[in-house]
Amino acid sequence: MVVNDYPAHPQASMVAVEQGVKSLILLPITARDRMLGMLSLISVKTGHFTADRVQLLTGIADGLGIFLENAELNEQVSLELELRRRSEEQLRQQTEDLEALLGFARVAIGPGSLEEKLTSILEALRRISATNEVALRVPDPDNGSLVLVAETGDSDMTGQPKALTRGVSVKAFDLGEAVIANDYPSSPDHIADTVAKGANSMMALPVKTGHSILAIVVLISKHRYHFSPQLIARITSLGEGIGVLLENARLNHEVTFKEDLEQRRDTFVSVAFHEIRTPMAVIEGYSELLLNKTLPEHIKQESLERIHRNARSLSAIVDDMLNVSRIHSGKLTLDPKHVSLANLLAEVAASLEPIYVQHQIYIEIGAQVPPVFADVDKLSQILTNLVDNALKYSPDGGDITITATHDPKRDRVVVAIADEGLGIPPEDREGLFELFHRIRRPETAGIKGSGLGLYIVKEMLDLLNREIWVESELGKGSTFFVSLPTK
């Protein structure tokens, strides 16, 4: 439509005329007989749109039609590609989730301890969720707290509190549904220690079988708003499968545990009789010898000393066995308070030096090392067992050096007990803290022990939520490290 004298046109707008419009052209923009739009041009000159200009502008309008049609097609193609990409991503995630569940199933029915199985499942969940730490907590029927049974993740985020009576995970257990804190530091349910470890997002998911809550899976991310609706849906779906597998793993573990318990009981009784019989025989033999009143004085003195040493050894064995019994029955109680390491280590050294006269025990504590927060009796036994172990496995003598250093950034004191003894071969380090574990080598053949000392140390430190590790070199000695809190 061409209007070269717009003011004279019967449908002219007075507003447009007043603004100076003298000529007007309207060109439809079409493609494949489909109207896509309108191109309108105006001029302040009468007769502006000549035949040549109309032809040129018509060509431009046709080009715009092709351009707009291509743009529509490109948009449709882009939309289809995006939908296809999303479908492929969804299929990939579903495949990954299915593979994870199958992996969970293989783990649940496969070999290994329940803790190993749980850690394996949590690690797979951590990988799928791209979080920094995943933990599993179960309810304690005695006090209602949620107890940590397994965790995996970044070293600077693991080591969560053993038992919780508040927080996001407790809230999820009480509600029976997932709780998400995508801005965890601002959440009213946050825990300061967890925030200090870098937690910015948290999701707590109840793991159920039927209407019963077996456990709470806790996922932690260093990034705020990590848990999108899609990720929450995936984790929730996996959590339902984990519940069934955990129940199966638990039932399977109970059967294995009963069998293992019977074997441990038989071993325990065997070791008990063996370990007790030797000092009892010595005490009985030298007691009978003392009944002979014609013995020289130095023989009597030597006999009394042997009786005394073996009586102490017998008492230590009985104490170890009682502690193992308390650990297994869950009756080992704690009374933590601030303890001076200098005084405690001095008492430990004084109690052992008369027994191992061929050794020297040196204690090195920096002036800035603060007291530690621990149960004094349990800590005394832990340190006594470790120092006794260092002395025992240094049969040729040598120094025992005990150092304590303060790590103010972590509010920890690390106690190191170093010997110049036999050292521990790599293949023995993994089972070092297991019940009845003994290093079987020609050099250790004459060293007496029940295999209970380091097991008790590890169990007590686990109860205290403390760390222990060892460094060793064959023929040069070993160093055991214990990390203790200051508050």
Side-chain angles (χ1 to χ4, degrees):
M1 179 180 179
V2 179
V3 181
N4 268 321
D5 186 4
Y6 182 73
H9 195 278
Q11 293 180 342
S13 165
M14 292 304 297
V15 176
V17 171
E18 289 173 359
Q19 290 177 345
V21 177
K22 297 292 180 63
S23 300
L24 169 71
I25 184 170
L26 299 174
L27 296 161
I29 301 172
T30 61
R32 301 176 187 273
D33 297 326
R34 187 164 63 93
M35 188 77 166
L36 299 179
M38 183 72 72
L39 176 64
S40 64
L41 298 95
I42 60 175
S43 174
V44 293
K45 295 179 181 180
T46 302
H48 180 80
F49 296 104
T50 63
D52 291 342
R53 285 176 175 167
V54 170
Q55 185 177 4
L56 175 64
L57 292 172
T58 301
I60 292 173
D62 291 342
L64 282 172
I66 295 171
F67 173 80
L68 289 176
E69 185 181 41
N70 289 340
E72 281 187 349
L73 291 173
N74 286 334
E75 186 177 356
Q76 289 177 2
V77 170
S78 297
L79 182 60
E80 289 177 2
L81 288 174
E82 176 62 20
L83 289 173
R84 181 175 178 179
R85 186 195 65 78
R86 290 182 182 180
S87 297
E88 289 176 349
E89 176 64 18
Q90 187 176 16
L91 180 61
R92 185 192 64 78
Q93 290 184 355
Q94 289 174 347
T95 303
E96 190 178 56
D97 293 350
L98 181 59
E99 289 176 348
L101 287 172
L102 291 173
F104 296 169
R106 285 192 292 269
V107 168
I109 64 176
S113 67
L114 181 59
E115 184 177 357
E116 290 171 340
K117 292 177 180 181
L118 292 178
T119 302
S120 179
I121 290 173
L122 295 183
E123 182 57 34
L125 190 58
R126 185 174 81 96
R127 176 179 53 79
I128 291 170
S129 63
T131 48
N132 298 94
E133 205 254 8
V134 180
L136 187 75
R137 292 185 175 276
V138 298
D140 186 330
D142 294 331
N143 55 30
S145 66
L146 288 177
V147 180
L148 182 70
V149 293
E151 66 176 334
T152 183
D154 296 348
S155 58
D156 57 344
M157 293 201 74
T158 53
Q160 298 293 328
K162 274 289 183 182
L164 289 177
T165 55
R166 64 180 185 86
V168 172
S169 54
V170 174
K171 187 174 182 179
F173 183 81
D174 292 340
L175 295 175
E177 60 187 38
V179 174
I180 294 92
N182 263 326
D183 187 3
Y184 182 71
S186 301
S187 168
D189 301 303
H190 82 270
I191 295 174
D193 287 348
T194 307
V195 173
K197 288 178 178 287
N200 280 310
S201 298
M202 181 180 291
M203 177 178 178
L205 175 69
V207 176
K208 303 177 181 178
T209 52
H211 298 292
S212 301
I213 299 177
L214 291 177
I216 299 291
V217 173
V218 185
L219 303 96
I220 303 173
S221 172
K222 292 182 179 179
H223 304 288
R224 276 182 169 84
Y225 303 103
H226 179 82
F227 298 101
S228 64
Q230 295 82 2
L231 181 57
I232 292 169
R234 289 185 72 195
I235 295 170
T236 303
S237 175
L238 288 171
E240 293 172 358
I242 292 173
V244 176
L245 297 171
L246 282 180
E247 180 68 7
N248 290 339
R250 184 185 66 81
L251 294 173
N252 185 51
H253 174 72
E254 284 184 358
V255 173
T256 307
F257 179 75
K258 288 178 180 178
E259 294 174 351
D260 183 58
L261 192 62
E262 290 179 2
Q263 184 178 357
R264 283 173 177 255
R265 182 191 61 194
D266 294 342
T267 305
F268 187 83
V269 172
S270 175
V271 169
F273 278 116
H274 180 270
E275 292 299 320
I276 291 173
R277 184 172 55 188
T278 301
M280 285 294 292
V282 172
I283 292 171
E284 184 179 2
Y286 279 97
S287 299
E288 290 178 358
L289 188 62
L290 285 173
L291 291 175
N292 188 342
K293 298 180 181 180
T294 61
L295 286 174
E297 195 61 33
H298 71 280
I299 297 294
K300 289 182 179 180
Q301 183 63 30
E302 183 181 341
S303 299
L304 287 171
E305 289 174 359
R306 288 180 181 272
I307 289 172
H308 180 66
R309 280 199 303 271
N310 280 275
R312 289 191 60 170
S313 175
L314 186 61
S315 177
I317 292 169
V318 172
D319 286 342
D320 282 348
M321 290 181 173
L322 286 173
N323 279 320
V324 170
S325 176
R326 293 189 189 105
I327 289 168
H328 286 175
S329 63
K331 294 180 180 178
L332 208 60
T333 57
L334 296 176
D335 181 21
K337 59 186 67 175
H338 282 99
V339 183
S340 167
L341 276 176
N343 296 337
L344 186 59
L345 287 172
E347 292 175 4
V348 169
S351 68
L352 293 171
E353 280 173 337
I355 304 172
Y356 298 95
V357 293
Q358 74 274 34
H359 296 84
Q360 290 291 325
I361 300 177
Y362 296 97
I363 300 174
E364 300 173 3
I365 300 179
Q368 303 302 318
V369 174
V372 297
F373 191 70
D375 184 300
V376 62
D377 293 331
K378 306 300 183 295
L379 182 57
S380 175
Q381 182 160 4
I382 288 167
L383 295 173
T384 299
N385 282 10
L386 289 174
V387 176
D388 181 72
N389 193 72
L391 293 163
K392 188 186 298 180
Y393 284 91
S394 304
D396 297 329
D399 297 339
I400 305 298
T401 305
I402 308 171
T403 60
T405 55
H406 184 211
D407 180 1
K409 290 183 179 179
R410 297 183 63 210
D411 294 320
R412 291 287 188 273
V413 171
V414 177
V415 178
I417 300 165
D419 63 57
E420 298 174 344
L422 302 173
I424 305 167
E427 61 270 18
D428 273 305
R429 291 175 202 169
E430 185 176 347
L432 198 60
F433 298 99
E434 292 180 0
L435 189 62
F436 302 126
H437 180 82
R438 296 291 308 278
I439 297 174
R440 306 294 180 184
R441 286 194 292 147
E443 304 94 307
T444 65
I447 299 175
K448 295 181 179 180
S450 61
L452 300 177
L454 291 182
Y455 169 78
I456 292 170
V457 166
K458 181 66 167 63
E459 289 296 318
M460 285 186 173
L461 286 170
D462 283 349
L463 188 66
L464 294 166
N465 196 22
R466 307 300 174 242
E467 300 173 85
I468 184 169
W469 66 97
V470 62
E471 295 176 1
S472 185
E473 187 174 350
L474 277 177
K476 293 188 177 180
S478 305
T479 303
F480 284 80
F481 299 88
V482 177
S483 176
L484 302 167
T486 59
K487 60 183 179 181

